[in-house]
Short mmCIF file of all heavy atoms in Angstrom, two decimals:
data_model
loop_
_atom_site.label_atom_id
_atom_site.label_comp_id
_atom_site.label_asym_id
_atom_site.label_seq_id
_atom_site.Cartn_x
_atom_site.Cartn_y
_atom_site.Cartn_z
N HIS F 352 137.02 86.69 138.56
CA HIS F 352 137.03 85.33 139.02
C HIS F 352 137.46 84.30 137.99
O HIS F 352 137.40 83.07 138.24
CB HIS F 352 135.74 84.87 139.61
CG HIS F 352 135.23 85.80 140.78
ND1 HIS F 352 135.68 85.62 142.09
CD2 HIS F 352 134.58 87.04 140.85
CE1 HIS F 352 135.21 86.58 142.94
NE2 HIS F 352 134.50 87.40 142.04
N ASN F 353 137.92 84.74 136.85
CA ASN F 353 138.51 84.00 135.79
C ASN F 353 137.44 82.83 135.47
O ASN F 353 137.93 81.66 135.46
CB ASN F 353 139.85 83.41 136.23
CG ASN F 353 140.60 82.83 135.09
OD1 ASN F 353 140.29 83.26 133.87
ND2 ASN F 353 141.55 81.94 135.29
N LYS F 354 136.24 83.17 135.19
CA LYS F 354 135.25 82.17 134.89
C LYS F 354 134.41 82.68 133.73
O LYS F 354 134.05 83.86 133.73
CB LYS F 354 134.32 81.97 136.20
CG LYS F 354 133.25 80.94 136.02
CD LYS F 354 132.38 80.91 137.23
CE LYS F 354 131.08 80.20 136.87
NZ LYS F 354 131.09 78.74 137.18
N LYS F 355 134.14 81.90 132.76
CA LYS F 355 133.26 82.19 131.69
C LYS F 355 131.74 82.06 132.14
O LYS F 355 131.44 80.96 132.68
CB LYS F 355 133.50 81.30 130.43
CG LYS F 355 134.66 81.72 129.65
CD LYS F 355 134.16 82.15 128.26
CE LYS F 355 135.21 83.01 127.48
NZ LYS F 355 135.13 84.48 127.88
N ILE F 356 130.97 83.06 131.92
CA ILE F 356 129.57 82.98 132.24
C ILE F 356 128.78 83.30 131.03
O ILE F 356 128.52 84.46 130.72
CB ILE F 356 129.16 83.96 133.43
CG1 ILE F 356 130.14 83.80 134.58
CG2 ILE F 356 127.71 83.85 133.79
CD1 ILE F 356 129.93 84.79 135.70
N PRO F 357 128.44 82.30 130.20
CA PRO F 357 127.69 82.55 128.87
C PRO F 357 126.33 83.26 129.24
O PRO F 357 125.69 82.91 130.18
CB PRO F 357 127.54 81.24 128.23
CG PRO F 357 128.02 80.19 129.22
CD PRO F 357 128.65 80.94 130.38
N VAL F 358 125.91 84.14 128.36
CA VAL F 358 124.62 84.75 128.47
C VAL F 358 123.78 84.22 127.39
O VAL F 358 124.18 84.17 126.23
CB VAL F 358 124.82 86.30 128.36
CG1 VAL F 358 123.48 87.05 128.28
CG2 VAL F 358 125.58 86.78 129.70
N ILE F 359 122.51 83.85 127.75
CA ILE F 359 121.62 83.02 126.73
C ILE F 359 120.40 83.89 126.67
O ILE F 359 119.52 83.72 127.49
CB ILE F 359 121.43 81.69 127.26
CG1 ILE F 359 122.77 80.96 127.47
CG2 ILE F 359 120.52 80.87 126.34
CD1 ILE F 359 122.65 79.73 128.31
N PRO F 360 120.17 84.70 125.59
CA PRO F 360 118.95 85.48 125.44
C PRO F 360 117.78 84.60 125.07
O PRO F 360 117.93 83.52 124.33
CB PRO F 360 119.25 86.49 124.35
CG PRO F 360 120.41 86.04 123.66
CD PRO F 360 121.22 85.05 124.63
N ALA F 361 116.59 84.96 125.40
CA ALA F 361 115.35 84.17 125.06
C ALA F 361 114.21 85.20 124.94
O ALA F 361 114.19 86.26 125.53
CB ALA F 361 114.94 83.29 126.29
N GLY F 362 113.25 84.84 124.06
CA GLY F 362 112.03 85.75 123.87
C GLY F 362 111.98 86.29 122.46
O GLY F 362 112.65 87.18 122.13
N GLY F 363 111.22 85.51 121.71
CA GLY F 363 110.93 86.12 120.27
C GLY F 363 112.03 85.53 119.25
O GLY F 363 111.90 85.89 118.10
N ILE F 364 113.03 84.70 119.75
CA ILE F 364 114.07 84.26 118.81
C ILE F 364 113.32 83.18 117.94
O ILE F 364 112.74 82.21 118.51
CB ILE F 364 115.24 83.76 119.52
CG1 ILE F 364 115.89 84.93 120.33
CG2 ILE F 364 116.20 83.06 118.62
CD1 ILE F 364 116.91 84.53 121.23
N PHE F 365 113.31 83.40 116.60
CA PHE F 365 112.49 82.51 115.81
C PHE F 365 113.29 81.63 114.79
O PHE F 365 113.05 80.56 114.53
CB PHE F 365 111.48 83.30 115.02
CG PHE F 365 110.36 82.51 114.47
CD1 PHE F 365 109.31 82.13 115.21
CD2 PHE F 365 110.38 82.13 113.11
CE1 PHE F 365 108.30 81.27 114.71
CE2 PHE F 365 109.36 81.47 112.54
CZ PHE F 365 108.28 80.91 113.40
N ASP F 366 114.34 82.29 114.19
CA ASP F 366 115.05 81.58 113.17
C ASP F 366 116.63 81.86 113.29
O ASP F 366 117.06 82.37 114.13
CB ASP F 366 114.54 82.03 111.76
CG ASP F 366 114.63 83.48 111.60
OD1 ASP F 366 115.41 84.13 112.27
OD2 ASP F 366 113.84 84.07 110.80
N GLY F 367 117.41 81.27 112.28
CA GLY F 367 118.86 81.32 112.34
C GLY F 367 119.34 82.78 112.17
O GLY F 367 120.44 83.01 112.71
N LYS F 368 118.55 83.58 111.48
CA LYS F 368 119.01 84.95 111.48
C LYS F 368 118.98 85.65 112.84
O LYS F 368 120.01 86.34 113.27
CB LYS F 368 118.05 85.80 110.57
CG LYS F 368 118.41 87.08 110.26
CD LYS F 368 117.66 87.64 109.09
CE LYS F 368 117.82 89.19 108.94
NZ LYS F 368 116.76 89.89 108.36
N ASP F 369 117.98 85.29 113.64
CA ASP F 369 117.96 85.87 114.99
C ASP F 369 119.08 85.22 115.89
O ASP F 369 119.63 85.89 116.68
CB ASP F 369 116.56 85.50 115.69
CG ASP F 369 115.27 86.01 115.00
OD1 ASP F 369 115.51 87.07 114.29
OD2 ASP F 369 114.25 85.44 115.12
N ILE F 370 119.29 83.97 115.70
CA ILE F 370 120.37 83.26 116.43
C ILE F 370 121.69 83.85 116.12
O ILE F 370 122.44 84.27 117.05
CB ILE F 370 120.37 81.73 116.26
CG1 ILE F 370 119.02 81.08 116.66
CG2 ILE F 370 121.55 81.13 116.96
CD1 ILE F 370 118.92 79.60 116.29
N ALA F 371 121.93 84.02 114.80
CA ALA F 371 123.27 84.63 114.40
C ALA F 371 123.48 86.06 114.92
O ALA F 371 124.54 86.40 115.42
CB ALA F 371 123.29 84.66 112.86
N LYS F 372 122.38 86.77 115.01
CA LYS F 372 122.39 88.15 115.49
C LYS F 372 122.79 88.15 117.03
O LYS F 372 123.74 88.91 117.45
CB LYS F 372 121.04 88.90 115.37
CG LYS F 372 120.99 90.38 115.71
CD LYS F 372 119.90 91.08 115.12
CE LYS F 372 118.58 90.56 115.60
NZ LYS F 372 117.37 91.23 115.24
N MET F 373 122.24 87.21 117.68
CA MET F 373 122.55 87.10 119.19
C MET F 373 123.98 86.69 119.39
O MET F 373 124.73 87.20 120.35
CB MET F 373 121.55 86.17 119.88
CG MET F 373 120.14 86.75 119.98
SD MET F 373 120.14 88.28 120.88
CE MET F 373 118.56 88.84 120.38
#
Side-chain angles (χ1 to χ4, degrees):
H352 299 274
N353 194 23
K354 178 182 167 94
K355 278 243 159 282
I356 307 175
V358 171
I359 305 165
I364 295 170
F365 195 81
D366 54 24
K368 190 170 169 204
D369 299 336
I370 299 174
K372 189 161 60 173
M373 291 302 166

